[in-house]
Amino acid sequence: MSKRSEIVAAEECIALGANQRQFVSYPNRETSLGELSVSRALPIRERRLVGPWCFLDRFGPLTFSEGKPLDVAPHPHIGLQTVSWLHEGEVVHDDSLGNASILRPGGVNVMTAGTGISHAEQTPREHTGRLNGVQLWTALTDQHRGGAPGFVHIAGVPTIEWPAGVVQVFAGHMEAASLPGPYYSPLLGADLQVHPGHTLDIPLDPSFEYAVLVMRGDCTVYGEHVTERTLYYLGTTRSDASLSSRGGARVLLIGGPPFSETILMWWNFVARTPEEIAQARTDWEERHRFGDVAAYDGPGLDAPSLVQFARPNPVS
Ligand code: MN
């Protein structure tokens, strides 16, 4: 290792490649995003990745009357995709490519960082006074991480309505509901709504590993009680999942084939080597590569010191 590489406090992350069914709970870690409290479900020490999913923050539900609870100033990303999904409220996205979009429940924003992009995310001036949702990241494969940055807004994702519940697919596919792009490797991201007093049976891909996060309500998965603010890792080799609720529930389901590459996460960067991270940090500080978010009124975020974080502490 070069002298430089030794001073980057980045975390190596790899999907552990479970080859069997599991049912393991991991409590979320409470942290903050500016003034907004978030529950971080991924990454966690024991479970860095679920398929290509390498980051999952849950924010809200909260009610507000003034100000903007979400106000993340311009910051850079490399090597990943950000995936934003809401249950309530609105988020404005602006990026260095000039994309501007308002995300609302039922839609999804997918930003592909590739070799570099910067963006800002805020609560818009006109809003419902509610905020409740998640942001996830996918790690881009080595084959695709050198690609151009991009942004896609989809106003309404594919939905399946069954007697027992509703499935909204914001990444990948489940039966006829399909949203394969703009994703670059096999994955699933779905919002499962279980109707009160019903059992929702859904098909799974045995080659995928999966995890669930309860967003609201009471729920059992395979008969086991699952609660909010805990990630439940289900492992692989499952061909279906059975979710029951007395009063109704909404549950996030993520999955994909165990990611075969070891990634390095530091701040908002997903890379492979400390040198890449150090270079991306320098480029952001010197205003190279990433571009400016012209639509944001105010300065961008300063990158932390390369040695500042013993654990990854992304701003999302
Ligand atoms: Mn971000």
Side-chain angles (χ1 to χ4, degrees):
M1 282 171 73
S2 70
K3 188 174 182 183
R4 186 181 201 184
S5 68
E6 292 167 5
I7 60 164
V8 180
E11 291 279 334
E12 280 195 345
C13 306
I14 188 167
L16 294 179
N19 57 7
Q20 58 188 1
R21 295 179 186 187
Q22 297 191 21
F23 196 96
V24 186
S25 61
Y26 300 102
N28 296 174
R29 185 163 60 91
E30 301 302 317
T31 183
S32 59
L33 200 58
E35 296 185 0
L36 181 66
S37 295
V38 299
S39 294
R40 186 150 296 158
L42 281 177
I44 46 183
R45 189 170 295 278
E46 304 86 352
R47 184 63 53 192
R48 301 290 188 190
L49 285 152
V50 176
W53 301 104
C54 60
F55 178 91
L56 169 52
D57 257 3
R58 193 266 165 96
F59 46 87
L62 61 92
T63 302
F64 60 99
S65 55
E66 56 187 28
K68 44 184 181 181
L70 187 67
D71 186 5
V72 184
H75 58 278
H77 287 287
I78 63 169
L80 57 82
Q81 294 179 299
T82 66
V83 180
S84 301
W85 173 254
L86 292 175
H87 279 192
E88 297 172 278
E90 307 79 17
V91 171
V92 177
H93 162 98
D94 292 288
D95 65 41
S96 51
L97 301 176
N99 296 299
S101 138
I102 297 186
L103 180 66
R104 294 190 169 85
V108 67
N109 277 355
V110 183
M111 185 182 78
T112 302
T115 53
I117 193 170
S118 63
H119 73 151
E121 294 158 297
Q122 308 170 73
T123 300
R125 193 165 299 146
E126 293 191 12
H127 53 70
T128 53
R130 292 284 290 171
L131 186 61
N132 184 14
V134 292
Q135 184 171 103
L136 307 102
W137 297 354
T138 74
L140 290 169
T141 62
D142 204 41
Q143 184 187 353
H144 293 105
R145 68 195 187 94
F151 173 79
V152 172
H153 169 76
I154 294 161
V157 306
T159 298
I160 314 171
E161 296 200 21
W162 281 314
V166 179
V167 176
Q168 293 170 285
V169 176
F170 57 82
H173 68 92
M174 183 183 294
E175 301 208 326
S178 182
L179 191 63
Y183 299 103
Y184 292 93
S185 62
L187 80 178
L188 177 71
D191 188 299
L192 314 176
Q193 197 169 328
V194 188
H195 292 326
H198 280 79
T199 295
L200 179 66
D201 292 308
I202 56 165
L204 298 181
D205 184 330
S207 71
F208 281 25
E209 58 180 354
Y210 291 95
V212 293
L213 180 71
V214 177
M215 297 289 287
R216 171 176 63 76
D218 71 280
C219 189
T220 65
V221 179
Y222 305 114
E224 303 256 10
H225 282 279
V226 291
T227 57
E228 289 188 54
R229 302 187 193 283
T230 299
L231 187 75
Y232 296 88
Y233 178 74
L234 307 179
T236 58
T237 72
R238 296 183 185 272
S239 56
D240 52 39
S242 178
L243 295 87
S244 300
S245 180
R246 289 181 185 168
R250 282 185 81 172
V251 178
L252 205 71
L253 172 68
I254 58 172
F259 204 68
S260 61
E261 302 170 26
T262 301
I263 63 171
L264 210 52
M265 286 183 74
W266 181 85
W267 197 35
N268 309 306
F269 303 144
V270 170
R272 298 297 185 274
T273 67
E275 289 77 9
E276 286 175 48
I277 289 171
Q279 187 62 53
R281 182 188 182 282
T282 298
D283 288 347
W284 173 247
E285 290 293 292
E286 296 182 353
R287 303 184 72 174
H288 294 145
R289 192 198 317 197
F290 296 100
D292 293 329
V293 183
Y296 187 83
D297 185 15
L301 296 178
D302 291 326
S305 156
L306 282 173
V307 294
Q308 184 167 336
F309 297 117
R311 300 178 66 188
N313 193 12
V315 300
S316 88

